[in-house]
Amino acid sequence: MNLVRPSRPVAARVVSNELCMQGKSASFVKHLVIDVGDTPLAGAVLPGQSFGVIPPGRDADSKPHKVRLYSSASPSWGEDGVACHLATTPKRLIDEYRPRPDDDPDDHRLFLGVCSNYLCDLKPGDRINVSGPNGRRFLLPEDPAAHDYLFLATGTGIAPFRGMLLELLESPRGPCRSRIDLVMGSPYTTDLLYDDLFRDLSARHPNFRYHTAISREPEGRGRYVADCLRAAHDHFGALLAGGRTRMYRCGVIGMQTDVFRLLGELGLAAGYLRLSDRLLGAPPTQWSDADLARHAKPTERCRLELY
């Protein structure tokens, strides 16, 4: 943890920076690989951890930009096999400025994410200031074979699961034989990230199953991650009911409340959540987002990275 502090970052070098979408999409997401071989980060970043990026320049108050954290998308041996090349999955943020109550209501300037666009613009050979590693709760267990896994992701929340799945299934020590399921949610099929990789892993490892929840295409309109779990109740219910199972979720915060309600509906909340009397006294269909945020806490079997 924090071998390199944001106040004293080290310079890494960009190895490659390529789109990881399939086909045309309204989003721009990159698979960015950086070389940290000459820094303390070499061999130090585990799947489920993140590293910091300090973008150049200054903010609106003329202060240096603060560190932004990006999840590692690599296994412990990195992209190069010797843990010197780390990958992450930045997405361009392009939006329209939304005036606050005291602002000019006609101000609709284009807003560009400071760090996301900086990362997406980088070219091989460019230098980048980094820090880290960060995060200890989202790691795989010390004995991966002692557990089964349910990974739930939306958007760029898939990044840590790419590293984890490679760690579990492609390790030089041999693949983990535990049951592993990944559910990836996205608006359109073209927004699926690393889709080819996950399909290949699923084809080669019978203990790994890959599912998609596409929410805005005609065939699956309105189908989100929790809906995928509910539709395949027999399959996922058995996995969730197992005492070995660990659930990891990374992505938009709305996924959290939907999945929490589903766990309650299935009578499985006790294994993954600590609920207050307020929630225990009401049917799960009546659990509000606000109540879940205040009165439901994840257990050791439920790991969350939400934004």
Side-chain angles (χ1 to χ4, degrees):
M1 289 282 291
N2 299 308
L3 294 173
V4 179
R5 299 282 180 176
S7 58
R8 300 188 65 181
V10 294
R13 179 180 60 84
V14 175
V15 176
S16 61
N17 197 10
E18 301 174 351
L19 275 173
C20 58
M21 318 297 296
Q22 51 175 16
K24 293 183 178 180
S25 172
S27 300
F28 299 93
V29 184
K30 297 292 190 75
H31 180 70
L32 172 66
V33 180
I34 61 174
D35 184 351
V36 296
D38 294 327
T39 79
L41 295 180
V45 182
L46 299 174
Q49 289 188 311
S50 60
F51 58 87
V53 175
I54 298 87
R58 295 179 176 271
D59 61 21
D61 297 322
S62 298
K63 296 181 180 179
H65 286 300
K66 295 180 180 179
V67 64
R68 272 75 162 177
L69 298 181
Y70 286 84
S71 294
S72 171
S74 303
S76 60
W77 54 88
E79 302 295 298
D80 56 346
V82 292
C84 290
H85 290 182
L86 294 179
T88 191
T89 314
K91 175 183 178 180
R92 287 192 184 277
L93 175 58
I94 304 174
D95 203 352
E96 190 174 83
Y97 178 71
R98 297 171 185 176
R100 292 171 292 188
D102 294 333
D103 294 340
D104 180 357
D106 296 322
D107 186 355
H108 299 292
R109 292 168 293 166
L110 191 64
F111 174 79
L112 301 177
V114 171
C115 198
S116 65
N117 286 286
Y118 162 67
L119 291 180
C120 288
D121 286 341
L122 291 171
K123 299 178 176 60
D126 287 346
R127 311 293 282 187
I128 174 176
N129 288 330
V130 293
S131 62
N134 301 86
R136 62 166 60 93
R137 180 169 171 77
F138 211 66
L139 300 174
L140 290 170
E142 292 185 10
D143 182 7
H147 301 273
D148 296 320
Y149 302 92
L150 176 58
F151 297 135
L152 308 177
T154 59
T156 54
I158 197 66
F161 299 137
R162 178 185 183 271
M164 289 180 175
L165 286 165
L166 291 173
E167 188 82 16
L168 290 169
L169 298 173
E170 301 286 279
S171 171
R173 300 182 298 274
C176 175
R177 302 297 181 184
S178 299
R179 177 177 171 179
I180 306 168
D181 279 69
L182 167 66
V183 182
M184 171 63 180
S186 69
Y188 301 98
T189 303
T190 52
D191 293 320
L192 293 171
L193 306 178
Y194 305 120
D195 184 62
D196 290 343
L197 170 65
F198 299 138
R199 293 190 184 279
D200 174 65
L201 290 174
S202 180
R204 292 190 292 106
H205 298 278
N207 59 315
F208 169 55
R209 296 189 63 174
Y210 171 50
H211 317 261
T212 60
I214 309 300
S215 61
R216 296 183 188 172
E217 291 181 357
E219 185 174 341
R221 188 173 299 277
R223 182 181 173 90
Y224 297 95
V225 169
D227 300 311
C228 181
L229 300 179
R230 185 177 286 105
H233 169 266
D234 291 343
H235 176 79
F236 289 109
L239 176 62
L240 288 166
R244 288 167 41 97
T245 302
R246 281 195 172 190
M247 178 193 298
Y248 291 75
R249 281 179 276 167
C250 188
V252 294
I253 196 167
M255 173 176 56
Q256 170 179 305
T257 52
D258 289 343
V259 174
F260 280 2
R261 286 191 197 92
L262 177 62
L263 290 172
E265 292 170 21
L266 297 177
L268 298 171
Y272 301 92
L273 301 173
R274 292 187 294 273
L275 303 176
S276 71
D277 292 340
R278 181 184 180 91
L279 294 180
L280 290 172
T285 54
Q286 296 181 13
W287 293 352
S288 70
D289 290 359
D291 281 342
L292 284 168
R294 287 194 295 265
H295 302 292
K297 304 300 179 185
T299 68
E300 286 297 305
R301 294 177 59 196
C302 182
R303 305 300 176 99
L304 308 176
E305 287 285 346
L306 304 167
Y307 47 82

